[in-house]
């Protein structure tokens, strides 16, 4: 997706690179925290806890600034749609998939979000059509996705070449597609302060997930999870979600949207490191090959290694 931004300082200073690396670490850790928590808390209840705790934290952070309550009242229907596409659906799909797959593999599949966004934008918008560069980047990314799932698995609904159910790999891809729809729909919120959009969508997704959790999981019947799970949920909500949004907006203000989008390339290695170090996860050669193809596709879509931008231009190409 191509998003024009307001003029900002786009030079990547050492501090900005450090903040970007921190954001990649934080968002990569969300897959690690999710993998721990989903072993003891059902997926829908876990999503509700994640978004509701994060929403509360962001409301405390905003503290009524930016006319947030006026914006929530005026755009509540739009926030419900955004919350559904950007939080409720993708978080649920990822957590359900993580009952069967590790943090690293889930993060790699989720990294295909810009690829699906490009395809959806071509169909749903008039100003973001496919170009030869976008076609090349998308082809590389889709090839990596096929390699991750396993070509033999695409013809049936059984186990993949990884020996895990096909649905467990399809769900994170469904999450990435939902994020793609959210990216296109989110263009209508450009006039709002970013913290308001973040708090609004998390508030809306909390309202969506509360009845889903109650009906599907009957959380009042669940045993108290262990302390490690409780800490993982708090870290997922407060660090990876609430603070992650705040850090994201700070980087965007300092370095522009194009440079901030580089975090897409940093999340999977971060999640892989957490999975390798603490969960005993391992990747086979096809996983590494698939991740390499997806990363190559994202680099081609970004375009900066293939052509220089005009001075002062600041756009995101995904």
């Amino acid at each position: 997706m191509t998003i024009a931004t307001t003029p900002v300082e786009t030079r990547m200073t050492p501090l900005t690179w450090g903040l970007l690396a921190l954001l990649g670490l934080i968002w990569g850790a969300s897959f690690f925290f999710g993998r721990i928590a989903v072993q003891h808390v059902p997926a829908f209840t876990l999503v509700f806890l994640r978004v509701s705790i994060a929403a509360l934290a962001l409301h405390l952070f905003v503290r009524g600034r930016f006319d947030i309550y006026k914006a929530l009242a005026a755009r509540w229907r739009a926030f419900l749609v955004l919350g559904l596409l950007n939080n409720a659906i993708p978080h649920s799909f990822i957590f359900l998939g993580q009952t069967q797959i590790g943090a690293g593999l889930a993060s790699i599949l989720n990294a295909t979000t810009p690829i699906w966004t490009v395809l959806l934008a071509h169909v749903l918008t008039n100003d973001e059509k496919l170009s030869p560069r976008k076609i090349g980047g998308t082809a590389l990314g889709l090839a990596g996705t096929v390699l991750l799932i396993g070509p033999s698995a695409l013809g049936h609904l059984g186990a993949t070449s990884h020996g895990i159910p096909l649905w467990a790999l399809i769900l994170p891809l469904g999450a990435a597609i939902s994020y793609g729809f959210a990216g296109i729909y989110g263009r209508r919120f450009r006039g709002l302060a970013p913290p308001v959009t973040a708090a609004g969508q998390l508030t809306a997704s909390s309202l969506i997930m509360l009845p889903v959790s109650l009906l599907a999981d009957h959380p009042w019947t669940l045993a108290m999870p262990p302390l490690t799970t409780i800490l993982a949920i708090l870290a997922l909500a407060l660090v990876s979600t609430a603070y992650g949004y705040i850090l994201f907006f700070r980087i965007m203000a300092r370095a522009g949207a194009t440079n901030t989008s580089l975090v897409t390339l940093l999340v999977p290695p971060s999640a892989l490191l957490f999975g390798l170090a603490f969960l005993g996860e391992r990747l086979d050669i096809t996983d590494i090959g698939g991740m390499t193809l997806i990363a190559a596709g994202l680099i081609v879509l970004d375009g900066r290694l293939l052509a220089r931008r005009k001075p002062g231009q600041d756009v995101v190409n995904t």
Side-chain angles (χ1 to χ4, degrees):
M1 187 167 62
T2 303
I3 303 175
T5 63
T6 56
V8 294
E9 171 60 48
T10 59
R11 187 170 61 89
M12 292 290 287
T13 65
L15 175 60
T16 308
W17 278 113
L19 293 175
L20 192 71
L22 177 61
L23 182 61
L25 189 69
I26 287 173
W27 278 355
S30 68
F31 293 91
F32 166 70
F33 297 137
R35 178 61 173 167
I36 293 175
V38 81
Q39 304 302 313
H40 297 279
V41 179
F44 297 129
T45 297
L46 181 57
V47 174
F48 170 71
L49 292 172
R50 175 180 184 175
V51 296
S52 60
I53 295 172
L56 177 60
L58 279 176
H59 277 286
L60 293 174
F61 172 76
V62 174
R63 295 194 300 275
R65 293 174 293 165
F66 311 113
D67 291 326
I68 182 173
Y69 302 120
K70 181 179 178 180
L72 292 178
R75 303 197 186 195
W76 65 270
R77 293 181 181 86
F79 275 122
L80 283 173
V81 175
L82 185 63
L84 182 69
L85 294 174
N86 208 35
N87 296 131
I89 290 176
H91 291 348
S92 296
F93 282 6
I94 289 171
F95 290 150
L96 286 169
Q98 283 197 280
T99 62
Q100 301 291 323
I101 65 176
L105 186 53
S107 70
I108 296 171
L109 292 167
N110 189 66
T112 61
T113 295
I115 296 164
W116 303 110
T117 303
V118 165
L119 295 175
L120 292 169
H122 176 75
V123 176
L124 299 177
T125 69
N126 295 321
D127 58 344
E128 299 184 24
K129 299 302 183 182
L130 287 173
S131 64
R133 175 175 56 79
K134 289 182 178 181
I135 292 173
T138 300
L140 284 170
L142 292 178
T145 303
V146 171
L147 185 59
L148 281 172
I149 293 176
S152 63
L154 297 180
H156 58 82
L157 297 178
T160 69
S161 58
H162 298 73
I164 50 183
L166 179 60
W167 63 262
L169 296 179
I170 295 298
L171 283 178
L173 287 178
I177 294 171
S178 186
Y179 282 133
F181 277 110
I184 296 170
Y185 186 80
R187 303 199 306 177
R188 67 186 60 201
F189 295 92
R190 288 177 180 173
L192 291 181
V196 173
T197 304
Q201 68 169 346
L202 287 168
T203 301
S205 56
S206 299
L207 296 175
I208 293 170
M209 292 308 302
L210 177 58
V212 175
S213 169
L214 293 176
L215 292 173
D217 295 338
H218 304 127
W220 61 88
T221 66
L222 302 175
M224 178 63 69
L227 179 61
T228 53
T229 298
I230 295 174
L231 293 176
I233 294 171
L234 291 175
L236 185 64
L238 297 176
V239 179
S240 295
T241 307
Y243 181 64
Y245 272 122
I246 295 170
L247 186 59
F248 175 81
F249 296 137
R250 180 182 178 187
I251 297 171
M252 186 172 292
R254 292 178 60 91
T258 302
N259 289 324
T260 307
S261 69
L262 292 172
V263 73
T264 308
L265 297 172
L266 301 179
V267 172
S270 172
L272 288 169
L273 288 176
F274 278 105
L276 290 170
F278 300 106
L279 300 176
E281 297 177 0
R282 293 291 184 271
L283 295 181
D284 59 31
I285 189 65
T286 59
D287 295 327
I288 297 172
M291 181 175 64
T292 302
L293 286 173
I294 290 171
L298 296 179
I299 291 172
V300 171
L301 287 174
D302 179 74
R304 280 175 290 175
L305 294 182
L306 304 179
R308 288 186 176 182
R309 292 181 298 152
K310 294 180 181 179
Q313 184 179 12
D314 182 26
V315 294
V316 178
N317 293 309
T318 60

